[in-house]
């Protein structure tokens, strides 16, 4: 088939012998490439119009994403096949053009492989998250593993693609061989320079396997509540509640201690502290708290209790615990409990609110109720006729 294609090009070329041979070769390659590009567009368009079942949606999505790369690869392949008919070029020029087309073809193929891998992983994550009664931990586990390993795979595919494309050229190949042959001090310097990058890349693999953090985990960094928003190959993006972002090297989570509030489960127990007066009727306070928690939709119905946790000379501390489905709902639940219990105490038993106390003791026998110094304080007055300062009469 290739021989027939080349013979057809030779036959068409015979009609343009009146033009210079290099011009005819350039025009022929340009026309062949353009025709192949638009033929590839027609093929992909027809493929997308073919009706299919739901299982074929992934194939149509891949074809839609690869429309331009496929057209470019088809154009390069056709131009590469048409090179023997380009007799207007010298042998050296033809070899250079062949290497150039192969170079672009390898780069386009590697780029297409990355696109296909990304689409397939996204389709898997979407199908996993759409299942009913799926454990949230399992979803976040798969998300973390696939996102981290996908980025590492993309980096490796990109490096291999560029390296394979560059190795086509003899000068680059010889330079690479000589560089590896003399990899003494140079390799040591490069290794030391890339130590941080390699450390984070290896840490990314460890994060994907051991998973101390997952996507959308709630962690505490530098006193801030943060959600894991992105896990990249070398760093992690943490989203703070006030929309700030912490950019942390991925190796930090293997070398430092941190808190993960959603490692095994998203459910969490929140704590509310109340400071009440000693006159507070605890039975009634517990009854009000039970009524309040039953009306809170954010409570998951598992854990609830109220106890006197501590006391001092003025008040006693009431510790209230209540469980929720996740940390955000736990925060809102605690705020709702505080608001409602304070309103109920203020209305039904205001004597339970904290108060400052002082005692009035009766006087002992023979003592005055109030010291005379407090009733009529002594005022030191100057003797008559003494100097009172400027402006004093008689001075």
């Amino acid at each position: 088939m290739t021989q027939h294609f080349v013979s057809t090009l030779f036959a068409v070329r015979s009609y343009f012998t009146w033009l210079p041979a290099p011009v005819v070769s350039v025009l022929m390659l340009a026309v062949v490439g353009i025709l192949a590009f638009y033929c590839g567009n027609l093929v992909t368009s027809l493929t997308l119009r073919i009706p299919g079942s739901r299982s074929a949606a992934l194939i149509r999505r891949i074809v839609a994403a690869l429309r331009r790369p496929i057209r470019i690869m088809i154009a390069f392949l056709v131009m590469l096949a048409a090179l023997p008919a380009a007799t207007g070029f010298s042998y050296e020029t033809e070899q250079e053009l062949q290497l150039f087309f192969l170079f672009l073809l390898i780069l386009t193929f590697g780029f297409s492989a990355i696109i296909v891998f990304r689409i397939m992983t996204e389709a898997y994550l979407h199908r996993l998250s759409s299942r009913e009664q799926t454990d949230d931990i399992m979803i976040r586990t798969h998300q973390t593993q696939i996102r981290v390993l996908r980025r590492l795979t993309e980096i490796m595919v990109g490096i291999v693609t560029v390296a394979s494309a560059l190795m086509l050229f003899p000068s680059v190949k010889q330079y690479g061989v000589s560089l590896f042959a003399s990899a003494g001090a140079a390799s040591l310097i490069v290794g030391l320079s890339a130590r941080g990058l390699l450390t984070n890349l290896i840490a990314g693999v460890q994060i994907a396997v051991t998973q101390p953090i997952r996507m959308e985990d709630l962690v505490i960094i530098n006193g801030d509540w943060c959600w894991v928003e992105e896990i990249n190959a070398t760093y992690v993006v943490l989203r703070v509640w006030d929309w700030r972002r912490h950019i942390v090297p991925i190796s930090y989570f293997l070398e430092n201690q941190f808190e993960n509030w959603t490692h095994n489960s998203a459910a969490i127990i929140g704590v509310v502290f109340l400071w009440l007066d000693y006159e507070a009727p605890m039975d009634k306070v517990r009854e009000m708290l039970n009524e309040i928690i039953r009306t809170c939709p954010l409570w998951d119905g598992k854990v609830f209790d109220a106890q006197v946790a501590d006391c001092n000379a003025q008040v006693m501390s009431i510790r209230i615990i209540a469980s929720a489905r996740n940390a955000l709902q736990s925060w809102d639940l605690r705020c709702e409990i505080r608001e409602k219990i304070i309103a109920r105490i203020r209305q039904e038993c205001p004597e339970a609110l904290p108060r400052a106390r002082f005692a009035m003791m009766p006087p002992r026998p023979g003592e005055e109720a109030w010291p005379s110094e407090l009733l009529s304080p002594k005022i030191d007055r100057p003797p008559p006729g003494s100097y009172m300062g400027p402006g004093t009469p008689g001075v």
Side-chain angles (χ1 to χ4, degrees):
M1 183 176 179
T2 305
Q3 187 65 30
H4 180 70
F5 175 69
V6 174
S7 301
T8 304
L9 291 179
F10 272 114
V12 174
R13 181 185 174 82
S14 62
Y15 292 101
F16 298 93
T17 55
W18 51 277
L19 287 174
V23 176
V24 176
S25 299
V26 172
L27 291 176
M28 182 184 65
L29 291 177
V31 172
V32 168
I34 293 173
L35 291 177
F37 184 82
Y38 283 103
C39 287
N41 186 21
L42 179 62
V43 171
T44 54
S45 299
L46 293 176
T47 304
L48 290 175
R49 292 177 183 177
I50 296 176
S53 60
R54 186 176 181 181
S55 59
L58 178 61
I59 298 177
R60 290 197 298 270
R61 184 180 175 186
I62 292 175
V63 173
L66 294 179
R67 290 186 66 177
R68 180 165 294 181
I70 289 174
R71 286 180 289 175
I72 294 175
M73 284 192 291
I74 291 176
F76 287 152
L77 286 173
V78 173
M79 294 171 70
L80 190 62
L83 270 179
T87 57
F89 299 131
S90 62
Y91 178 78
E92 291 78 9
T93 304
E94 183 178 348
Q95 293 298 317
E96 291 177 358
L97 287 175
Q98 184 178 4
L99 291 177
F100 179 70
F101 289 148
L102 286 175
F103 174 77
L104 296 179
L105 189 62
I106 292 175
L107 291 182
T108 308
F109 181 79
F111 178 72
S112 303
I114 292 175
I115 292 177
V116 172
F117 183 70
R118 180 178 288 269
I119 292 175
M120 294 179 65
T121 53
E122 289 292 341
Y124 172 75
L125 290 176
H126 178 72
R127 184 177 62 181
L128 182 66
S129 60
S130 61
R131 293 179 182 176
E132 296 182 356
Q133 297 180 353
T134 304
D135 187 11
D136 180 68
I137 296 296
M138 184 183 68
I139 294 176
R140 293 189 288 114
T141 299
H142 284 268
Q143 284 181 342
T144 303
Q145 291 177 339
I146 290 178
R147 290 180 186 276
V148 174
L149 296 178
R150 180 177 65 186
R151 285 177 172 84
L152 294 175
T153 303
E154 291 175 355
I155 292 174
M156 295 301 298
V157 171
I159 293 174
V160 172
T161 300
V162 174
S164 302
L166 290 176
M167 293 296 284
L168 293 173
F169 301 96
S171 59
V172 178
K173 185 177 181 180
Q174 294 175 1
Y175 176 76
V177 172
S178 62
L179 181 62
F180 284 116
S182 61
S187 62
L188 180 61
I189 294 173
V190 173
L192 291 176
S193 301
R195 184 180 62 85
L197 176 61
L198 295 176
T199 300
N200 286 312
L201 288 176
I202 296 173
V205 177
Q206 292 177 308
I207 291 290
V209 175
T210 60
Q211 295 195 355
I213 57 172
R214 304 182 184 90
M215 296 295 297
E216 293 302 324
D217 266 355
L218 176 61
V219 299
I220 297 181
I221 299 291
N222 297 328
D224 286 334
W225 285 26
C226 306
W227 284 264
V228 180
E229 187 175 46
E230 296 180 20
I231 301 179
N232 295 296
T234 56
Y235 65 92
V236 178
V237 179
L238 303 176
R239 183 182 69 253
V240 191
W241 64 272
D242 56 0
W243 298 351
R244 288 180 293 127
R245 299 296 191 274
H246 288 303
I247 310 299
V248 183
I250 198 169
S251 59
Y252 175 89
F253 296 96
L254 298 177
E255 300 173 355
N256 298 277
Q257 182 180 356
F258 65 95
E259 294 185 22
N260 189 337
W261 286 29
T262 56
H263 185 262
N264 294 324
S265 174
I268 194 170
I269 296 177
V271 181
V272 176
F273 284 97
L274 287 178
W275 287 267
L276 300 181
D277 191 81
Y278 283 103
E279 296 292 335
M282 280 305 302
D283 294 337
K284 187 174 182 179
V285 171
R286 285 194 181 93
E287 181 181 352
M288 290 188 293
L289 286 170
N290 285 321
E291 294 175 0
I292 290 171
I293 198 65
R294 292 192 187 98
T295 61
C296 294
L298 299 178
W299 182 49
D300 61 0
K302 295 181 180 179
V303 178
F304 176 76
D305 197 6
Q307 296 175 319
V308 179
D310 198 2
C311 59
N312 54 32
Q314 290 79 29
V315 293
M316 58 181 178
S317 176
I318 312 301
R319 181 174 177 264
I320 306 167
I321 57 174
S323 58
R325 297 174 183 85
N326 53 57
L328 283 179
Q329 293 185 2
S330 175
W331 173 266
D332 295 335
L333 175 63
R334 285 180 287 165
C335 294
E336 186 175 1
I337 291 175
R338 290 190 193 97
E339 294 175 3
K340 291 184 177 181
I341 190 60
I342 291 174
R344 292 284 298 273
I345 291 175
R346 190 174 61 248
Q347 294 175 0
E348 300 181 19
C349 49
E351 69 278 3
L353 297 175
R355 292 177 291 178
R357 289 181 171 87
F358 70 94
M360 298 181 65
M361 304 297 295
R364 296 179 181 178
E367 291 184 353
E368 299 180 0
W370 291 95
S372 58
E373 291 82 2
L374 296 177
L375 296 177
S376 58
K378 183 179 179 181
I379 301 177
D380 294 333
R381 298 179 181 276
S386 62
Y387 175 71
M388 299 290 292
T392 302
V395 177

